[in-house]
Amino acid sequence: AGIPVVGTMATATALGGRDDHFFRNVPDTAALAGRSMHHLATKHGVRRIALIHRADAGPDTADWLASARQAVAAAGGSLVAEVALAG
């Protein structure tokens, strides 16, 4: 029907590329993680990163963690710890 769909905080990467009429009002988790890690490395010289998240978080967090792991490596950094906190 060509009706635009706008996702409010729809950050899961799985939502991308499914429909030409889907718009996000924030970037997906891969973009957010990549930009965060790049910023830390280039603007602040951070090379060692620890990731902390809620253990019971949903798919957006799982997406973000996977993307952050890749982004840390791509920025030449190392992941020194990953901590899952009880919700």
Side-chain angles (χ1 to χ4, degrees):
I3 299 170
V5 177
V6 179
T8 62
M9 299 302 294
T11 58
T13 54
L15 294 173
R18 296 176 150 236
D19 189 319
D20 290 340
H21 301 291
F22 180 75
F23 298 92
R24 298 175 193 269
N25 61 357
V26 294
D28 67 30
T29 54
L32 290 171
R35 288 181 187 139
S36 296
M37 298 308 127
H38 179 77
H39 177 79
L40 288 171
T42 60
K43 300 291 184 187
H44 301 284
V46 174
R47 295 287 183 256
R48 299 176 55 203
I49 305 282
L51 302 176
I52 300 173
H53 61 92
R54 283 181 48 155
D56 61 349
D60 286 358
T61 297
D63 271 357
W64 189 90
L65 288 168
S67 298
R69 289 180 199 112
Q70 292 174 348
V72 167
S78 62
L79 184 61
V80 297
E82 189 171 320
V83 179
L85 302 175

